[in-house]
Amino acid sequence: MSKVTDRVLALAGPVAAECGCEVWDVEYVREAGQWFLRVYIDKPGGVSIDDCEAVSRALDPILDEEDPIPTSYVFEVSSAGAERVLKRPGDFERFTGEMVEVRHYQPVGGAKSHAGTLVSRTDDGTVTIAVNGENISFPSAQVAQVRLRMTI
């Protein structure tokens, strides 16, 4: 993470906890010529618009006072979403046994992504999924992103 996102994460964590949530991720990105600071939150049972509003209202004055970003930006608080990206080791542990999509930098076996049940992620970043009863492992160099996948 960048210094900005690290600082915002440190500020947002306690605020989200006071609102009954946890910070899933912090993103500071430039889109269409404008900077966006996004704080993604989560909680058991899911996040409501009221949760997002509560965290936003509580965190906004703290960000103004601490001023971790010297330029202007758009501040947003939202749910991590049902098809969230898994990043930290704890994310993979938490969602073992769930359906995921592994996206690749380059095609692997002719495909840019593979879907299956998350089996594990090792310390070296190798992701293993089960597809039709067979375990398939992808070394970290092949894994661009792993995200939860909704089943229908």
Side-chain angles (χ1 to χ4, degrees):
M1 275 195 199
S2 75
K3 289 181 181 181
V4 167
T5 55
D6 288 343
R7 181 71 182 125
V8 172
L9 179 61
L11 295 169
V15 172
E18 286 179 16
C19 296
C21 300
E22 67 176 314
V23 176
W24 180 264
D25 198 12
V26 175
E27 182 179 68
Y28 182 58
V29 295
R30 188 170 179 89
E31 295 176 358
Q34 194 167 18
W35 284 98
F36 289 83
L37 174 64
R38 295 187 179 113
V39 175
Y40 296 97
I41 59 174
D42 192 26
K43 75 175 189 183
V47 172
S48 70
I49 190 74
D50 293 335
D51 295 320
C52 294
E53 182 180 2
V55 172
S56 178
R57 287 182 187 265
L59 184 56
D60 190 45
I62 294 169
L63 291 173
D64 286 345
E65 183 178 317
E66 296 291 325
D67 201 22
I69 303 171
T71 59
S72 65
Y73 59 92
V74 176
F75 174 53
E76 300 174 347
V77 175
S78 65
S79 165
E83 293 192 350
R84 67 191 65 187
V85 175
L86 305 182
K87 294 182 178 183
R88 300 172 299 268
D91 300 344
F92 289 89
E93 291 169 14
R94 179 176 172 185
F95 291 104
T96 296
E98 299 292 330
M99 286 296 296
V100 296
E101 178 182 18
V102 179
R103 295 182 184 173
H104 308 291
Y105 292 109
Q106 299 293 324
V108 175
K112 286 281 285 180
S113 68
H114 289 84
T117 303
L118 179 61
V119 173
S120 66
R121 179 183 179 273
T122 62
D123 290 340
D124 70 0
T126 298
V127 175
T128 302
I129 61 173
V131 180
N132 298 324
E134 179 183 337
N135 285 356
I136 304 172
S137 295
F138 303 102
S140 63
Q142 293 178 334
V143 179
Q145 184 182 79
V146 178
R147 100 176 17 252
L148 289 178
R149 183 169 182 184
M150 295 297 298
T151 56
I152 298 176

